[in-house]
Amino acid sequence: MITITLGDENDTARLASLLVQHLPAGSVVLLKGPLGAGKTTLARHVARALGFTGRVTSPTYTLIHTYPTPGGTLLHADVYRLPDSAQLWEFGLEEALEDARLALIEWGTPEILVADVEIEIEITEDGTRRLRLAALEPELKDVVATIEQAMRRGRG
Ligand SMILES: Nc1ncnc2c1ncn2[C@@H]1O[C@H](COP(=O)(O)OP(=O)(O)OP(=O)(O)O)[C@@H](O)[C@H]1O
Ligand SMILES: [Mg+2]
């Protein structure tokens, strides 16, 4: 598990590009963190990094948004308000996951579905974001390390 500080949304954009560059096709990323942490913002920048130029909004009520991007289909879900994880399947998450180049799930928990990467965002006292990035699959540990190094290089 690694920790990265995102000073502003430019850092979020850089992280999004690195996720797109390094995560294998079909990766499922859980996004955790309190209200306003920046989960949807990260999803928006991932869509941009995949070449999508349209609007990216929070899937708060619709639960699942899919974006056909030049880099493949991006799935963005927000299941925070879903009372029962079994309902996820009624909303077609499973089918949507099959087609996704990348899937970002806000407030998902590892118990709900099998994920590859977990990202937890924390708001610090000065308004920057502290982000913890963990590989849930052993073969993604190198990817996470590569992303950390690239983020540090960019900052230095
Ligand atoms: N790296 C960052 N540095 C500073 N501010 C940020 C950063 N990332 C996002 N923000 C700001 O924080 C807010 C985050 O809102 P966002 O909707 O992305 O949060 P969220 O985690 O998806 O919340 P919710 O739980 O309501 O879905 C936005 O106003 C955004 O501009
Ligand atoms: Mg959100």
Side-chain angles (χ1 to χ4, degrees):
M1 199 239 294
I2 61 152
T3 304
I4 297 169
T5 299
L6 303 179
D8 56 24
E9 264 194 60
N10 291 325
D11 288 341
T12 308
R14 289 178 45 233
L15 174 66
S17 300
L18 290 166
L19 291 171
V20 165
Q21 269 176 59
H22 295 289
L23 287 179
S27 295
V28 177
V29 180
L30 298 180
L31 299 178
K32 295 179 162 185
L35 295 180
K39 304 178 293 295
T40 296
T41 303
L42 177 59
R44 183 173 300 123
H45 285 289
V46 167
R48 296 283 174 266
L50 286 164
F52 186 76
T53 54
R55 263 168 68 81
V56 176
T57 55
S58 178
T60 305
Y61 299 104
T62 44
L63 297 187
I64 299 173
H65 285 168
T66 55
Y67 299 95
T69 84
T73 301
L74 172 67
L75 186 159
H76 178 204
D78 185 345
V79 299
Y80 176 52
R81 289 160 193 85
L82 205 62
D84 176 5
S85 61
Q87 283 181 275
L88 271 178
W89 312 116
E90 292 169 25
F91 281 91
L93 184 68
E94 199 166 28
E95 294 82 351
L97 277 173
E98 279 171 21
D99 296 332
R101 153 74 176 83
L102 206 57
L104 305 175
I105 322 261
E106 294 189 35
W107 281 95
T109 61
E111 304 84 60
I112 288 181
L113 77 169
V114 177
D116 303 295
V117 173
E118 182 174 306
I119 291 177
E120 184 158 5
I121 308 174
E122 195 187 327
I123 307 176
T124 68
E125 310 73 56
D126 59 4
T128 63
R129 302 301 194 265
R130 191 177 300 124
L131 184 142
R132 294 186 307 113
L133 180 63
L136 302 177
E137 297 291 336
E139 59 266 32
L140 289 177
K141 289 214 159 67
D142 287 351
V143 167
V144 167
T146 301
I147 291 172
E148 181 190 30
Q149 281 161 21
M151 286 300 288
R152 288 196 194 289
R153 267 201 304 279
R155 187 176 312 274

